[in-house]
Amino acid sequence: MHNRSLQGLAAAVVALTVAACGGGGPAEQKPDKPAAFKPGSDVGYAKYGKDYPTTTVKDVPGPCSYESISRKDYSGQTLKVITHAVPVIGEPTVLHAKQFEELTGAKVEVVNVPFGELHQKILTPLQAGQPAYDVMFYPSLWIGDLASYLAPVPKEYLETPGMKDVTKAYMGVATWDGTVVQYPVDGDRHYLKIRTDVLKDPKRRAEYKAATGKELAVPRTWAEYQEVASYFNGKDVDGDGKPNFGSAEVTKRDDLMFSAFISRAAPFVKHPDVKGGVFFDVETMKPLINTPGFVRALEDMAKAKSAWPPGGANFGLGDEIFSFGGGQTLMSYSWDDAFIQAQQPDSRIRNKVEAAPLPGSAEVYNRATGAWDKKPNQAPYFTWGWTSAVAKTTRNEKMAFDYLCFFSNEANTALDLTIGRFGVNPYRNAHFDAAFWVKQGWDESVAKAYVKTLSGMEESTNRVFDLRVPGVNEFMSSLANGVAAALSGQKPAKQALDEVAAEWTAITERVGVEKVRTAYRNVVSLEDNS
Amino acid sequence: MDIPRRYKSMFVLPGLITLVLIIIFPLLFTIRVSFSSWNVSSPQMDFVGVANYVTMLSDGRFWAGTLRLVLLAGGTVLIQYVLGFGLALLVWRNVLGRRLWRVLFLVPMMTTPVVMAAIWQTIFHESLGPVNDLLGRLGLEPVRWLTEAGPAVVALMTVEVWQWTPFMFLLMLAGLLSLPKEPFMAAAIDGAGAWRTFREVTFPLMAPVSVSAVIIRLIEASKLSDTVYVLTSGGPGSATESPGYYLYIRALKEQQTGYGGSLSLTYLILMIVTLTVVAALLARALKVKGDS
């Protein structure tokens, strides 16, 4: 009796261990069932609630279409997904999970997590080897921390028309050491947004010329940006009885401020003729964050405070979105959201806005010669966006990739792009089609400028990407702290960035110089187009 | 050990095991982690000696945050005590709508700190918030509540005081309601006025409750982090960064688990020592006064 109990206990322990280690092999693959959708059917979200637009699009035939996915039979199987909180990427995750359940019979459990906890919630089980989630949605710059735990995207998915249409830049973002490990679902970049009813108004132009002796135009450099922002700051230029302000920027220390700073620094630090890294010298791994280009950008950012709205020094991304998107400020730069907000059907500034490339600089720091080169420079910043991946530990790899394939199929993406709160932005060549945006009610000129700005970034060969290395959160947290210290006047820009550089050296040593260097080579390769 | 004692021990065992699991084990684990280099890219329980503690000694942000906390916690708890005691005195006696006031005073405490911080963030919003709007109507300049160091500290303290004064009120009211009636009757017979009765009778009798209430609130205030997170994110610069929030950044956001462990242990020891000394000093001060 005693022996039998022990044997039973041992068997239970072994079974639990095997289960915990994700053993048991892949889930059962059932034969396809008849399609529940006809090819080319109309697809829309209206039936899921009044918060969704009534827009419909055609299901585009292909392996990820509604029609194809509805042939799959995943009944009795469960897919576990972790994603950001609703609405940004979290809402489309939930919506497409529900649709996937309806089409395939699968059960999809979605866990929505606030941004501050997402990294830890994803990484900790992966490091422990626990198959906590099959599918993960997260910011693409975490790839350095996560790549070794991700299942490569299988060839059959890489061959889908949707995947083949992903732009070169975003395929690069999804690739690590030559293998595609992230499934592209979003494309993000920072660009400039301006109010055309002010900056392109002949009366305002004449007024600006008379006051400053300069032509009022879309700013091409950060210096011009500051001049325009300062001139209009505090004036009621749209006649609503309230003052308008020059510039809205993401300045809250722990709320993506580091990305705003990189946008400002990019043209000063990314020299088209100097290869080998923007944040580090990839050969020596010496931080470059305190070099004169970064210092100049930080000094400029500190001066820009005078053109921010009240509270602008504590603006998170949400504040920036509503400040520009709501018509309070005349210019801003960051992700698409503020622009899409301004272009919502009920927006009072709809079609009074325009997208333009990020401002550049009149000179660029050459770290190879240690001198400033007097030549105009522009450096688009491909900041992080949302991405997705499948865990290596999953037992449901096929279902997981089918879910992502469905999530990002042509019909879903076309609808998702039009819902600003979803946080899904253009990442396929097909998305750079002005006609699509005109159909959403955008003026042709607005749509054309938007598409030209976004596609122009793709064509640039002088681009800046995020520091996608292990420990990226630590590096960016340190940077944000230094930038915040300078913006608040606690420290001069140079001192603040010297301290950041010292911290970066310590972080690099702690994480492992070779580990960071190997990862950073992936970033440098994207920036140097090599 | 005789049999009855063994049985007694058996009954205590579940409690002991629970204690070990929920308090002792995490504490021991944190101690062990603090001697490791466990971080985001290397989740391993190696042994790096006191390296994390050495790093911590020169960590200016941690020490600046700790000093800042003395002002934030000390200042807010003192204000909470004065206000809480005052409000408790107001509704202690028979005032109109006493029950309603008692419930109303407790509302802030029953709300979630993060939610309230978000609401206060709107209240202190520099262009849309009602505070600056009110100042404008009074002909005063708007205040940069969340973007200038001094006002940001004031805003943070205001939220803390608003949220936790009801707790102090509750403790003080419970204390007042439990006071014996005789000393007050004697004071009345001797002709003592309201102020003298408070100074000579109420306050000394309330001393033990006061010390307990202040210490309990100091313990809570020392953990200040959620309000900071929502209201200012520690800014402008690091003007409102508390040790609790700094720990969150290092240990959870950046996942420097080993270093976070050393910070949290040091912080725990600092708080235990400081609060023990404060409690002893308060008790002694009040006892001396009571004896004299």
Side-chain angles (χ1 to χ4, degrees), chain A residues 444-495:
Chain A
E444 195 175 354
S445 60
V446 177
K448 278 186 174 169
Y450 177 71
V451 165
K452 188 180 167 200
T453 299
L454 268 50
S455 57
M457 290 178 69
E458 292 284 338
E459 288 154 19
S460 169
T461 52
N462 193 38
R463 302 171 301 186
V464 172
F465 288 82
D466 281 306
L467 181 65
R468 297 149 28 101
V469 298
V472 60
N473 278 1
E474 226 180 305
F475 285 108
M476 291 303 112
S477 173
S478 163
L479 175 60
N481 191 51
V483 173
L487 292 185
S488 68
Q490 286 179 335
K491 289 171 190 166
K494 179 74 171 86
Q495 185 194 338

Side-chain angles (χ1 to χ4, degrees), chain A residues 116-117 119-120 123-124 127 145 149 245 252-255 305 309-315 319 328 470-474 477-478 481 484-485 488 490 503 507 510-512 515, chain B residues 37-43 55 61 68 121 125-128 132 144 146-147 149 229-239 241 245 248-256:
Chain A
E117 294 170 33
H119 186 265
Q120 191 197 14
L123 188 60
T124 303
Q127 289 177 333
D145 288 327
Y149 306 105
F245 299 93
K252 198 171 183 177
R253 191 184 73 181
D254 298 326
D255 191 347
K305 284 165 75 173
N314 193 42
F315 267 15
D319 300 303
Q328 183 191 35
V472 60
N473 278 1
E474 226 180 305
S477 173
S478 163
N481 191 51
S488 68
Q490 286 179 335
E503 279 190 33
I507 298 167
R510 193 161 54 242
V511 175
K515 205 169 175 179
Chain B
S37 68
W38 190 332
N39 64 46
V40 64
S41 60
S42 177
T55 306
R61 274 175 79 182
R68 194 173 297 119
Q121 191 186 29
H125 196 286
E126 291 169 28
S127 58
L128 306 172
N132 272 355
R144 295 170 60 193
L146 303 176
T147 57
Y229 173 74
V230 177
L231 203 64
T232 60
S233 280
S238 54
E241 192 168 78
Y245 183 62
Y248 158 76
I249 291 174
R250 288 295 194 216
L252 296 175
K253 203 170 168 203
E254 299 176 3
Q255 286 178 261
Q256 292 192 51

Side-chain angles (χ1 to χ4, degrees), chain B residues 36-77:
Chain B
S36 76
S37 68
W38 190 332
N39 64 46
V40 64
S41 60
S42 177
Q44 55 177 346
M45 195 73 92
D46 56 354
F47 185 75
V48 293
V50 292
N52 288 328
Y53 290 92
V54 172
T55 306
M56 183 200 63
L57 287 175
S58 58
D59 189 338
R61 274 175 79 182
F62 176 66
W63 295 112
T66 306
L67 281 176
R68 194 173 297 119
L69 184 71
V70 174
L71 165 72
L72 288 170
T76 53
V77 171

Side-chain angles (χ1 to χ4, degrees), chain A residues 29-101:
Chain A
Q29 178 80 49
K30 294 180 181 175
D32 281 356
K33 57 185 172 60
F37 252 80
K38 288 180 186 163
S41 303
D42 281 336
V43 173
Y45 297 162
K47 73 169 182 171
Y48 296 102
K50 59 180 184 205
D51 289 338
Y52 296 110
T54 52
T55 317
T56 58
V57 294
K58 297 281 181 199
D59 186 26
V60 178
C64 306
S65 67
Y66 277 73
E67 188 258 335
S68 296
I69 294 296
S70 71
R71 291 180 189 278
K72 313 268 180 178
D73 183 1
Y74 290 123
S75 54
Q77 297 180 47
T78 302
L79 191 68
K80 290 174 286 181
V81 181
I82 184 166
T83 187
H84 184 239
V86 170
V88 180
I89 214 65
E91 191 174 348
T93 308
V94 173
L95 174 65
H96 298 319
K98 192 176 170 61
Q99 294 170 318
F100 191 75
E101 285 181 334

